[in-house]
Amino acid sequence: MKLLLLLLLLQVPGCADSKCFCQVSGDLDDCTCDVETIDGFNNHRLFPKLQTLLESDYFRFYKQVNLNKVCPFWRVRGDCGLKDCAVKPCSPNQVPEGIRSSSQDQYSAEVKECEQPEDLGAVDVSLSDETREALLNWSKHDDEAERFCVVDDEESPDSQHVDLLLNPERFTGYRGPEAWQIWNSIYEENCFKPFTIKRPVVPNSFHSSSGSEAKVFYSWLEGQCVEKRAFYRLVSGLHASINIHLSSRYLLDDSWFQRKWGHNVSEFRQRFDSELTAGEGPKRLRNLYFLFLIELRALAKALPFFQRPSFRLFTGRPEEDLRHKELLLHILQLARSFPLHFDETSLFAGDEKEAGKLKEDVRLAFLNISRIMDCVGCSKCRLWGKLQTQGLGTSLKILFSERQIEALPSSGDQRPSFQLSRQEIVSLLNAFGRISTSIRELKNFRSLLSEER
C-alpha cells in the first residue's frame, strides 16, 4: 500500500506537466520538423535579431492605404468606437525623406541605371502614350497574377504612413458578433469546407461544437489533399498568433493614474486551454508552428532577391541603410541555415493541369481573405490584420516563384521578372516578426502557468 502511494505521488508532477496545454511538443503533421527545434532556433537565435531589424525606419513605417476602405462583402457599422481601436497616422515630417518623397523602393538603383537618356531615349520617343499605358497595365497584370493577397495602391491620395512601433498590436476591446463574423467568413467561405461539416470553435462563444462534430471535422480534414490541409492550418495558425498577441498585450489596468499592458493568463486560457476549448487549443498552437515553418521557408528562398547589389533598404540615410541591409541578409542567411525546412515541393505536385488549377483556387481563396480584412471594424485590428495577411500572401508568392527568383539578373540593366514592392517587403518581415513573437510569448505563458501550479 505504501509503495502504491509513493508511486502515485511520484506521478503527480508528470500529470501536472501534461496538463500544461501550451507545452506542445513533438513532430508537426505534414512536416519533418518538431516543436522543440523551432523553439530553440526562434527564441535564442532569430527573435532578438529580428526585433532589432523591425525597429529600423525602413520596416517600422508601413504605408497603409485608406483604413476607411469600404467592406466589399457586407455593411460594416463603422469604427468600433473604442479609444484603443484608433490608429495614429504619421505627419509628413515624421517619415524619413527617402520613404516619403516618392514611391522609392528596392528598384531605385535599377531605375536610375535604366533611365539614362542614352539607354532609353530612343525607345521613349517611339512609344505613344497609349502604348506606354498598355505596357504598364500588362506588367501590373503579370504582377497581380502571382499575388496571393490584395496590395493596395501606394500612390492613392488616401494612402498614409503608419509608425508600427507607435501603433502596436494589442487587445483593443474589439470583440463580439462583428469580430466573430470576420473569422466565421474566413473559415466557412474560404477554407474549402462544405457547410455540412461543422468546424470546432471556442465553447461559450457563438457556437459550441460537440466532440462528435470535432471528430467529423478532423476526419474530413485528413481526407483532403495536402494543399487544402495546409491552407486551413495556415489560417488557423494566423488566428492563433493574433490571439497570443492580444493575450500578451492586454489592458490590465485602466485607471486615472496609469494604463498598464501585460500578460493576461485568463484570456490566454480561454483561447487555448484544452479543457476550455474542447481540446482545440493545443491543435491551434501546433498550427502556429506550421505557419512559422512556411514563412521561414519563404524568407530562406527570398535570399537571392535581397542579395543583389542593386537592392537597397532606402530611407535616405546611406550608412544606416547599408547597416540594416547587412542585418537583413544575416537574418535571411540564418533562416536558410535552419536544418528542418518545410518542403514546399510536396505542394501542387502531380498532374500539371490539376496542380495548376488547385494552386489558382488556393491563390484566389487567400486573395479573398485579404479582402475580408477591409471588413474589420476596429482600425488598429484592420491595420495589423491587413499587414499579416499581406505578409503571409507575400510568403506564398515567394514559395511558388522559385524559377523567377533563380533567374534574377545579377546586374541592374534589366527589369527582373520577380518583384517585391516596399509594401510587400515591410509586411513580409513584420508578419514573420509577429509569428516569431508569438512563439517567444508561449515561453512566457508557460512560465506564468507553471507559477500558478
Side-chain angles (χ1 to χ4, degrees):
M1 185 67 181
K2 289 183 178 180
L3 179 60
L4 177 61
L5 180 60
L6 178 60
L7 289 173
L8 289 173
L9 289 173
L10 288 173
Q11 289 175 0
V12 169
C15 294
D17 288 342
S18 68
K19 290 182 179 179
C20 182
F21 54 89
C22 60
Q23 192 70 41
V24 290
S25 61
D27 294 339
L28 295 169
D29 298 335
D30 298 323
C31 302
T32 59
C33 191
D34 60 89
V35 168
E36 292 80 3
T37 300
I38 296 173
D39 280 338
F41 179 79
N42 178 73
N43 297 345
H44 301 297
R45 301 182 63 192
L46 191 60
F47 176 79
K49 296 180 177 64
L50 186 58
Q51 295 309 302
T52 299
L53 180 70
L54 297 181
E55 290 172 0
S56 68
D57 284 348
Y58 187 90
F59 290 100
R60 70 183 288 183
F61 291 103
Y62 178 63
K63 197 166 189 181
Q64 176 64 55
V65 177
N66 192 8
L67 286 173
N68 297 315
K69 196 173 180 181
V70 176
C71 170
F73 301 109
W74 61 80
R75 185 175 181 180
V76 177
R77 189 176 62 185
D79 189 83
C80 67
L82 300 169
K83 59 182 178 182
D84 291 315
C85 281
V87 171
K88 300 174 184 176
C90 300
S91 61
N93 62 355
Q94 291 176 312
V95 183
E97 183 179 358
I99 294 177
R100 74 169 186 265
S101 59
S102 67
S103 58
Q104 187 84 21
D105 61 15
Q106 71 279 13
Y107 300 112
S108 56
E110 294 168 4
V111 169
K112 289 179 181 179
E113 290 179 20
C114 293
E115 290 184 347
Q116 296 299 323
E118 61 268 27
D119 292 333
L120 292 181
V123 176
D124 283 346
V125 297
S126 68
L127 295 177
S128 66
D129 290 341
E130 292 80 6
T131 302
R132 273 198 294 270
E133 183 177 355
L135 288 171
L136 288 173
N137 287 336
W138 292 339
S139 175
K140 183 178 180 181
H141 174 77
D142 289 341
D143 291 344
E144 291 293 337
E146 295 299 321
R147 284 178 175 157
F148 283 73
C149 61
V150 174
V151 177
D152 292 326
D153 181 11
E154 293 187 69
E155 300 305 313
S156 166
D158 295 319
S159 66
Q160 53 188 344
H161 284 97
V162 175
D163 186 338
L164 297 175
L165 297 185
L166 296 181
N167 294 274
E169 184 183 24
R170 57 192 181 190
F171 186 76
T172 64
Y174 178 65
R175 62 198 320 168
E178 290 186 8
W180 168 259
Q181 186 178 14
I182 300 295
W183 287 109
N184 195 55
S185 177
I186 289 173
Y187 283 112
E188 294 296 329
E189 300 170 16
N190 296 280
C191 284
F192 307 102
K193 185 184 72 62
F195 289 108
T196 54
I197 301 294
K198 304 298 182 183
R199 82 183 195 278
V201 294
V202 179
N204 304 321
S205 184
F206 297 91
H207 169 72
S208 180
S209 60
S210 65
S212 60
E213 283 181 342
K215 187 175 181 180
V216 170
F217 174 82
Y218 286 108
S219 176
W220 166 82
L221 187 63
E222 289 305 311
Q224 299 304 298
C225 61
V226 65
E227 293 84 0
K228 291 182 179 180
R229 282 203 311 272
F231 188 90
Y232 171 80
R233 296 184 67 194
L234 289 176
V235 171
S236 175
L238 178 61
H239 195 180
S241 181
I242 291 172
N243 281 335
I244 292 172
H245 305 155
L246 305 185
S247 301
S248 60
R249 301 196 72 169
Y250 200 92
L251 185 58
L252 301 177
D253 185 5
D254 188 12
S255 65
W256 189 80
F257 301 99
Q258 67 172 351
R259 304 190 81 214
K260 181 182 178 182
W261 304 82
H263 296 84
N264 186 325
V265 177
S266 297
E267 186 73 21
F268 182 79
R269 281 188 179 279
Q270 184 179 351
R271 297 172 188 267
F272 296 107
D273 191 318
S274 182
E275 294 181 1
L276 297 178
T277 60
E280 283 302 304
K283 293 184 176 69
R284 296 166 187 161
L285 294 177
R286 295 180 73 82
N287 290 337
L288 165 67
Y289 283 91
F290 180 77
L291 174 63
F292 176 91
L293 286 177
I294 292 290
E295 296 205 10
L296 182 72
R297 179 60 170 162
L299 291 180
K301 292 182 74 70
L303 178 60
F305 174 84
F306 293 104
Q307 281 179 320
R308 294 171 302 133
S310 56
F311 173 80
R312 295 189 293 171
L313 295 177
F314 189 83
T315 66
R317 301 166 184 163
E319 292 183 4
E320 182 179 306
D321 292 342
L322 180 60
R323 186 170 67 252
H324 289 135
K325 179 180 178 178
E326 290 174 351
L327 178 57
L328 171 63
L329 293 179
H330 176 70
I331 289 171
L332 297 179
Q333 287 162 346
L334 187 61
R336 179 165 281 197
S337 73
F338 185 71
L340 297 170
H341 271 294
F342 177 80
D343 181 11
E344 73 282 357
T345 60
S346 64
L347 302 177
F348 307 112
D351 180 80
E352 186 174 347
K353 185 176 181 180
E354 291 182 5
K357 183 182 183 304
L358 180 59
K359 179 181 176 182
E360 182 64 6
D361 288 344
V362 168
R363 189 184 73 85
L364 293 176
F366 198 83
L367 196 69
N368 210 46
I369 289 175
S370 70
R371 292 191 181 103
I372 293 175
M373 291 300 112
D374 283 320
C375 301
V376 178
C378 166
S379 294
K380 188 169 290 182
C381 304
R382 179 184 292 202
L383 165 67
W384 284 101
K386 286 171 74 73
L387 183 146
Q388 289 174 85
T389 52
Q390 185 180 79
L392 177 52
T394 304
S395 292
L396 296 174
K397 172 182 173 179
I398 292 169
L399 281 181
F400 303 114
S401 300
E402 183 173 15
R403 292 180 182 176
Q404 294 94 316
I405 294 174
E406 289 178 348
L408 284 170
S410 57
S411 62
D413 56 359
Q414 64 184 92
R415 187 176 186 269
S417 58
F418 177 82
Q419 301 180 65
L420 292 176
S421 67
R422 179 180 177 275
Q423 193 181 47
E424 287 177 305
I425 294 169
V426 172
S427 65
L428 173 70
L429 271 296
N430 272 283
F432 183 70
R434 295 280 74 207
I435 301 162
S436 174
T437 299
S438 292
I439 290 177
R440 180 63 178 79
E441 287 294 356
L442 282 181
K443 180 180 179 181
N444 294 330
F445 277 114
R446 288 178 192 127
S447 298
L448 293 170
L449 287 164
S450 64
E451 291 173 6
E452 287 188 353
R453 297 198 303 268

